[in-house]
Every structure is written in C-alpha cells, then in structure tokens.
Amino acid sequence: MKLRKYMLQLIVVLLLAADCSPGSTPPDPAAQPQASLTSEPPSQLAFHQSPQRFDSIPTWRIALADLDGDGDLDAVFANAQVEPARVWLNDGYGVFTDTGQALGDNRHGVDVGDVDGDGDLDIVLTTFRTGLTTLVFLNDGQALFTELEGAFQTNIGFSVTLLDLDGDGDLDAAGNYLSAARIYSNDGAGMFSLGDTAFLLTAEWGDLDADGDVDAFIKRDGYGYAVHVNDGAGGFSEGWHLEDDEAMQQGDMALGDVDSDGDVDVVLANGFFETTSYPARVLLNDGNGQFADSGQRLSAVTNAGLALGDLDLDGDLDLVLTDYLQPCQIWLNDGTGHFEDSGIRIAGGEFYRHAHLGDLDGDGDLDIFLATYGTDHGPNEIWFNDLR
C-alpha cells in the first residue's frame, strides 16, 4: 500500500512537470529523500519528504482546509514581504497546484472559516505591517475567491483566529497585534467591527473551563501566563495566572488534551529566531481553567514553533517543534502528557516558522507542512508520515 501510494505521488508530480505551476518545480525524485519502498507499513514512526518543490518565498503561516469541497486538504500560503498570498489545491495524494490567485501582499496571519454563512470556507489574511488592512476573501464554493471590500477597517495583527466568541452563531475574528490582542465581531455576512475587549499579547483560544464557550489563554512578555474566562457573550474576566519572566511574545502556544483527561491543556514555547531560546513547557488543566506546571522542560528551540497532533496513531497528542536553521524535532506523548524525544528529525538548514499538521495524502495519518520564511532560505516543505 505504501509503495503504491508513494509511486502515485511521484507519477502525479512528474506529469505536472510538463505544465507546472509557477510556484513549484518537481525535480528528479531520485535526488530527493525517499520513503522505504516496502509493501508493509513501517513498525515505527518515520517521515519522508515529498518530491514536490515550491518556490523559495517567505511564508509565515499555512492554512490547511478543504477549500473546493472535494474531501482533501488544500492550502493557503500567507506570504510576507512583496509576495502575495496563494491558494494551492490538493489532488488527494498530497500534490498541490497553484490556482494562480494572488490574495494580497505582505501577509503573515491566515485562517479559514465560513464567515458569511453560505456553507463554504472563506479566507481571512492579516499582516504585521502598519498601513495595510486585514483582508477577507469569499469562496464561491469551488475555491475561487473574491475580496469582500471593507470587511475590516484596519489591520488586526500578525495572526488571526476565527471562532464564535460572542455565542451568536457566526465566526468572529481575534487578532494579535503590537501590544494587544483584540476581538472583532462578525455581523454574519463577513463584515467585522472592533469590540471593546483587549488583552496584552499574546492570545490562544479554547474552552479552558469546559463551559461550552471560548476562553483566552494569554502569554505576556516578561510577565507570564493568564486565563481570561468568557461569560458566553464575549465578555472576559481574568482568572488563573502564573508568573514567568521567560515568557516571550515570540514563540508558539498550542492547546489540546495532552494528558487524556478530557480538558484543554497548553504546550508553549518561548524564543526569538537565533537570538533567544527557553525550554518548551507543558501546563496541565484541572478542568476548571486552573493550570499546573507539569515540570517538563522540553528542547529549547530558537524559533519556538510548535504543533500538536497524533503522529503515531496511538490516540494521544504528540508534538512537533520547529527550529531556526536546525532540524525540526518530533516528541511523542505517553498518553499522560509526558513527552519523550523520539530522536526523529525532519528537514533542517532553513527558517521553519510554523508546522501545520493534516492528512495531506489521504492515507489516514498526519503529515507535516512546514512554512519556511525568508527569501534567501528554502521553500515550504511537505513531510509525509509513513505509518500508513
């Protein structure tokens, strides 16, 4: 099964070479890292790099979602500097084709969701640059996107998350920008207005107290961490907090049930490019939005990117840590929230800003899409999981 799937990937990529999209070039697959060509899946977790090659452009984040309704995960590249954001469609085997749509230059944050309530997935793109506006692109259902003029009156920040914060059934937007995280309410048709709520940076979102609404987990530079509890209508009050002078605005946070007890825990990293790094930490939730430090100090990665997902298909959430010019690390969960370094390393030598997890080739396991930043560093990379 693995041999057939991998050979199909190579065949599709080679066929695309005759009419290749401007943003990707499939070179000789024999020169690329290869999967183990066996008829049985490997007994241990392993990854191989896709033979597809993308252009070397500065991508900050990638959103993975089924944009054209064909059942597989497509991709939106939030490209920074002078490069426009791009929409890439998946053929179902993990080979992506650039649609040619350019959705605005200098983009850092991206999220996908049905902002106008018509049943398909739209795109919100934002930026770190002052003087630019956050953009909304509406989907026609076939992954053809049209800008919704005036959806935002301002730029909401370097990241954006879509979720229903006020309980009215549509997707609002939360942005992290400069010194504050702010909330923008959706009118149901994709037009957003600034609300009254603001937090000190940076915010991640999830139901932390198990009451059915979305709360905020805050990381404040040089101060530490705090929970702000939602009253269900978009009003927030501060609850639990933990002081930590190593807390940095830079560095990812990921929310998920890492100890398998039914509530949302937090894994967080603090680091800034090649200059500063602190060990990643695991904070465990008691179910009521009160967190305890697990005591774990995972690898200190200077880029401080991370992602959670069940990589080895054992039913718990594992961890990917991205690094600056160093290989990305795979840490496996024992089911209780304790992580062990698997020793598996993927990629290396580039500025890997974020890792995004999803079943890109439709075989039932989680693959890794690395967003690679920097015009003189390497392109985005796909690493397929070999478990299936």
Side-chain angles (χ1 to χ4, degrees), residues 119-131:
D120 52 36
L121 297 178
D122 311 302
I123 299 172
V124 178
L125 287 157
T126 190
T127 178
F128 189 74
R129 298 289 182 92
T130 58

Side-chain angles (χ1 to χ4, degrees), residues 99-122:
T99 65
Q101 300 175 78
L103 305 186
D105 298 345
N106 292 295
R107 300 293 130 179
H108 293 83
V110 59
D111 203 1
V112 173
D114 184 9
V115 301
D116 59 353
D118 66 350
D120 52 36
L121 297 178
D122 311 302

